[in-house]
Amino acid sequence: MSEYGEFETGDQHESLDQMHEVDASENNYDSQFGVYEQDHASAENTSFDQGHHMSYTTPAGAQYEESDYTSYDHSAAETDHTFAAEGSESASSSEFHELEALQARLDATFAEGTFASN
């Protein structure tokens, strides 16, 4: 021990360890579909009848007769069908992993002493 006291100096080391971990994932799915459908039907019927008859007798006893007859028939039917479909589909997936390690070293210098009193 000296007359001024005893002093000691040195270094002190401390460390800090910290770990941070992240795991994440994301999944997306999308579908979009459209359907168009149409039915159409039509029918037509036409009927036409016309007749003519004429009869003639003369005073002398002669007889004249005439007949004509017209008949018209028409039938039609029509059907149609329309079908359309369209669509889209998509999917995505992503993953994320992160690992962070933090290490810090803290250095501190210290001094200690004891003093002698005279």
Side-chain angles (χ1 to χ4, degrees):
M1 186 156 132
S2 69
E3 66 182 78
Y4 297 108
E6 186 175 313
F7 288 94
E8 180 182 333
T9 60
D11 290 329
Q12 180 178 348
H13 302 285
E14 294 181 10
S15 64
L16 171 68
D17 290 327
Q18 181 179 359
M19 188 163 292
H20 180 73
E21 184 175 359
V22 174
D23 288 321
S25 65
E26 180 180 2
N27 295 311
N28 292 320
Y29 175 77
D30 182 40
S31 65
Q32 185 175 19
F33 291 97
V35 175
Y36 172 78
E37 189 169 6
Q38 180 180 6
D39 288 320
H40 173 259
S42 65
E44 176 186 347
N45 289 318
T46 304
S47 180
F48 175 75
D49 294 318
Q50 181 180 8
H52 169 76
H53 178 75
M54 183 174 87
S55 175
Y56 175 73
T57 304
T58 64
Q63 186 175 4
Y64 175 76
E65 209 171 306
E66 174 184 277
S67 294
D68 61 36
Y69 185 75
T70 304
S71 178
Y72 174 77
D73 289 319
H74 172 75
S75 295
E78 178 181 308
T79 62
D80 53 29
H81 178 80
T82 304
F83 178 81
E86 66 176 340
S88 65
E89 188 173 24
S90 65
S92 66
S93 176
S94 63
E95 293 186 12
F96 178 73
H97 301 285
E98 180 180 283
L99 177 64
E100 291 181 8
L102 174 66
Q103 183 178 21
R105 186 173 175 138
L106 306 174
D107 295 330
T109 304
F110 67 89
E112 292 180 355
T114 57
F115 296 100
S117 56
N118 293 353

